[in-house]
Amino acid sequence: EIQGKTLGIIGLGAVGKELGKKASALGMKVIAFDIFKDQEFLDKYSEISFTTDIDDVYSKCDIISLHLPHTKQTDKLINEIVVNTKLKKQPIIINTARGKLVEPTAIISGIKNKFIKGYLCDVLETEPILENEILLGIENIIITPHVGSRTFENVQNQGLKSIENLINSMY
């Protein structure tokens, strides 16, 4: 059912690139935005469109997936202005990157006013989840407890990568 849909990837780092390759293989159109353009990657995966205008992702995509660090520039990237004026296709927004990339009240408002179809997240502004988390109990919002990547293999890979990073930092 996702074949033919347009996926917007905001943040074309390691995870964004892997998502783009897999989504393309499933027949999705992929539009990616990042402040850095990896031309070598884009030449190799020419089916992934790159844009320098984030509004292209907001206006053209059925699904928007966030893959950015939280910085001053990315704080509340998805906010009331974006939700109320830039989303044209009632997208599903997926956030597995950082909770502070979105403004929770904008997400709730966007869902209630039918600007956003759904919000799926594995991260929140405050973790662990608070009892009074405002995203809890809202229809079309799914929250997982920051364990979306926790497969047996992934836990092993994270351990190995941590050791490699430690060894590499010593030299």
Side-chain angles (χ1 to χ4, degrees):
E1 292 178 11
I2 60 173
Q3 186 174 5
K5 301 278 188 212
T6 302
L7 170 67
I9 298 173
I10 301 177
L12 198 58
V15 175
K17 286 174 181 167
E18 287 303 313
L19 177 61
K21 292 188 294 188
K22 287 169 177 50
S24 293
L26 292 172
M28 296 184 81
K29 180 178 176 187
V30 178
I31 301 173
F33 168 84
D34 199 300
I35 57 173
F36 302 106
K37 185 176 186 180
D38 184 341
Q39 193 61 54
E40 185 178 328
F41 172 81
L42 294 167
D43 288 344
K44 187 173 180 180
Y45 298 96
S46 58
E47 65 277 10
I48 297 174
S49 300
F50 186 84
T51 183
T52 57
D53 185 355
I54 197 168
D55 287 349
D56 287 339
V57 173
Y58 293 146
S59 65
K60 297 176 181 175
C61 294
D62 302 295
I63 301 163
I64 298 172
S65 190
L66 305 177
H67 300 279
L68 302 162
H70 177 249
T71 66
K72 255 194 298 191
Q73 292 77 23
T74 63
D75 188 65
K76 310 268 186 283
L77 188 73
I78 305 293
N79 54 47
E80 291 286 347
I81 294 168
V82 169
V83 169
N84 292 326
T85 64
K86 298 183 179 192
L87 301 179
K88 304 299 180 203
K89 296 184 84 174
Q90 194 186 7
I92 294 169
I93 298 174
I94 302 169
N95 184 6
T96 59
R98 300 290 180 266
K100 292 182 180 182
L101 298 177
V102 303
E103 189 175 85
T105 55
I107 295 294
I108 293 167
S109 170
I111 287 174
K112 289 183 177 177
N113 293 313
K114 302 204 183 307
F115 295 125
I116 299 172
K117 191 173 291 175
Y119 180 63
L120 315 174
C121 66
D122 193 47
V123 291
L124 297 166
E125 274 192 293
T126 304
E127 293 178 358
I129 194 168
L130 301 173
E131 274 185 47
N132 62 345
E133 169 59 53
I134 66 170
L135 294 172
L136 278 173
I138 307 288
E139 191 171 343
N140 295 338
I141 293 180
I142 297 174
I143 303 169
T144 56
H146 210 144
V147 294
S149 68
R150 293 292 188 251
T151 63
F152 179 76
E153 294 85 357
N154 183 268
V155 171
Q156 283 184 322
N157 290 337
Q158 286 176 340
L160 289 172
K161 191 65 173 173
S162 295
I163 292 168
E164 286 175 21
N165 288 341
L166 179 63
I167 292 168
N168 290 337
S169 72
M170 299 166 118
Y171 299 103

